[in-house]
Amino acid sequence: MAEHRELRRTAGARVRRAAERAGRVAPRGHRLGQMGPVHRSGAHRVRAPGRRRARRRGRGRLRLAVLAPVAASLPPGSRVVVPDIEQTSNLFPWLVHDLDVHTVPPADLPRAIDERTDAVAFSLVQSATGEVAAAAEVVAAARAHGALVVADATQAVGWLPVDATSFDVLAVSAYKWLMCPRGTAFCYVSPAVRDRIRPLAANWYAGDGDASYGPPLRLAEDARRFDIAAPWFSYVAAAPALELLLEIGVGPIHDHDLRMANRFRSGLGLPPGDSAIATVTRPDAAERLAAAGIRASVRNGAARLAFHLYTTEADVDTAIAALT
């Protein structure tokens, strides 16, 4: 309990210090073109080796841009198993190609992987419901049948401990739980599958050394071959956000977020859960929450609430009062 009080007490001060560092240090320590500090922080957040294994991307909601080359690398007719409520950024890249996309309920995903499966694509935490995937079971089933494992960790990294090296490809849009600006994202590509994926967005930034002008094609040997030119200012702001999360640690954040989410569930008479995302199916839930000053997204017909390190017990109690 004392640790949770300390987290709530100090989070605001840490945010202010991080913002001050960004304003004071960024022009020198994270100047344009020096993305190493951001890259290393992102790699640590997903427990992946450094620059050679993790990569960043630089546009909007990037799961589509990250996953499209992976989908394009599969031969026509390949069977891809995907949860039936998967966010479309991890569904449309497969559907747009001549692939056999088989959708199943998330809970049935491990059992749906068999000898016919060439790839499995799924979210570690479902966007619509907050359901936490049985990732270890999915990976074990995929490995047993030699299937490619592609994970979307957008709703996981930042509050849920994640080991990126468990997967062949892992993509993260960083504007969610990593609290980075829009236009930032990270991806892990395993060395075991790197040569199977064609870098369709090949460009100077993905080059080996000085690749600004003229042939021949000279892409980086590591995962940076999939990179694109970054939106510099978004990553300048991403650096202190990632540093703040690393300073606090994913363990305390995970515990705090679940504590707040389960306090909310308890207040509504719902059973405890293992996700920092809670949903409410009451038809007027979003309107009642908005009237109380609580922001909630409406996803798949339900109000979705996300509880993160800046959420306080008072915030939770306000949401409960609005819905009871």
Side-chain angles (χ1 to χ4, degrees):
M1 180 70 71
E3 292 180 356
H4 292 294
R5 285 198 297 268
E6 176 65 13
L7 174 59
R8 293 194 299 271
R9 186 181 69 80
T10 60
R14 286 170 168 171
V15 169
R16 286 192 295 273
R17 288 200 305 272
E20 290 169 358
R21 287 199 302 269
R24 181 177 65 251
V25 178
R28 298 195 301 274
H30 302 292
R31 63 182 180 271
L32 305 188
Q34 288 194 346
M35 305 306 296
V38 179
H39 188 272
R40 287 191 295 273
S41 297
H44 289 313
R45 291 305 305 167
V46 295
R47 291 171 58 191
R51 186 181 183 91
R52 292 185 177 274
R53 302 292 177 88
R55 68 185 173 94
R56 69 264 174 195
R57 299 285 301 209
R59 288 190 300 223
R61 297 182 180 180
L62 291 171
R63 279 165 292 171
L64 177 60
V66 165
L67 297 172
V70 184
S73 71
L74 295 178
S78 296
R79 186 177 179 86
V80 184
V81 181
V82 187
D84 57 5
I85 60 169
E86 190 74 7
Q87 213 278 339
T88 51
S89 291
N90 192 24
L91 179 59
F92 284 5
W94 313 100
L95 288 174
V96 77
H97 292 283
D98 184 19
L99 302 173
D100 176 18
V101 179
H102 180 58
T103 60
V104 298
D108 295 341
L109 195 60
R111 293 186 295 275
I113 301 168
D114 57 25
E115 67 280 357
R116 300 169 297 171
T117 306
D118 296 293
V120 55
F122 70 107
S123 290
L124 299 186
V125 177
Q126 280 295 329
S127 173
T129 64
E131 180 178 351
V132 179
E137 295 179 24
V138 173
V139 171
R143 299 299 182 222
H145 296 289
L148 188 74
V149 185
V150 182
D152 179 353
T154 297
Q155 295 288 357
V157 171
W159 75 270
L160 186 69
V162 174
D163 182 357
T165 62
S166 299
F167 312 97
D168 294 312
V169 178
L170 181 138
V172 182
S173 289
Y175 72 98
K176 293 285 189 178
W177 298 86
L178 291 177
M179 305 189 302
C180 296
R182 288 180 181 269
T184 56
F186 301 91
C187 185
Y188 168 82
V189 181
S190 169
V193 304
R194 198 175 294 156
D195 290 338
R196 295 169 51 184
I197 304 170
R198 177 178 293 182
L200 298 179
N203 67 98
W204 71 272
Y205 203 68
D208 182 20
D210 184 1
S212 298
Y213 303 102
L217 178 67
R218 49 199 187 278
L219 297 179
E221 292 296 324
D222 58 19
R224 197 170 55 80
R225 72 176 70 174
F226 301 103
D227 219 339
I228 62 176
W232 307 112
F233 293 111
S234 291
Y235 280 95
V236 168
L242 295 174
E243 289 167 358
L244 172 65
L245 292 170
L246 287 170
E247 179 184 346
I248 298 173
V250 69
I253 293 173
H254 175 265
D255 293 345
H256 172 81
D257 291 6
L258 281 189
R259 178 181 172 83
M260 295 298 101
N262 283 327
R263 181 184 181 94
F264 175 75
R265 294 184 180 101
S266 176
L268 296 184
L270 301 173
D274 61 355
S275 179
I277 298 174
T279 58
V280 180
T281 56
R282 178 172 176 161
D284 61 347
E287 290 76 12
R288 293 172 69 97
L289 289 167
I294 300 293
R295 293 186 178 183
S297 302
V298 177
R299 296 290 183 268
N300 206 30
R304 184 187 70 183
L305 295 92
F307 302 85
H308 206 10
L309 62 92
Y310 39 71
T311 305
T312 67
E313 291 180 353
D315 295 330
V316 176
D317 293 344
T318 299
I320 294 170
L323 297 171
T324 57

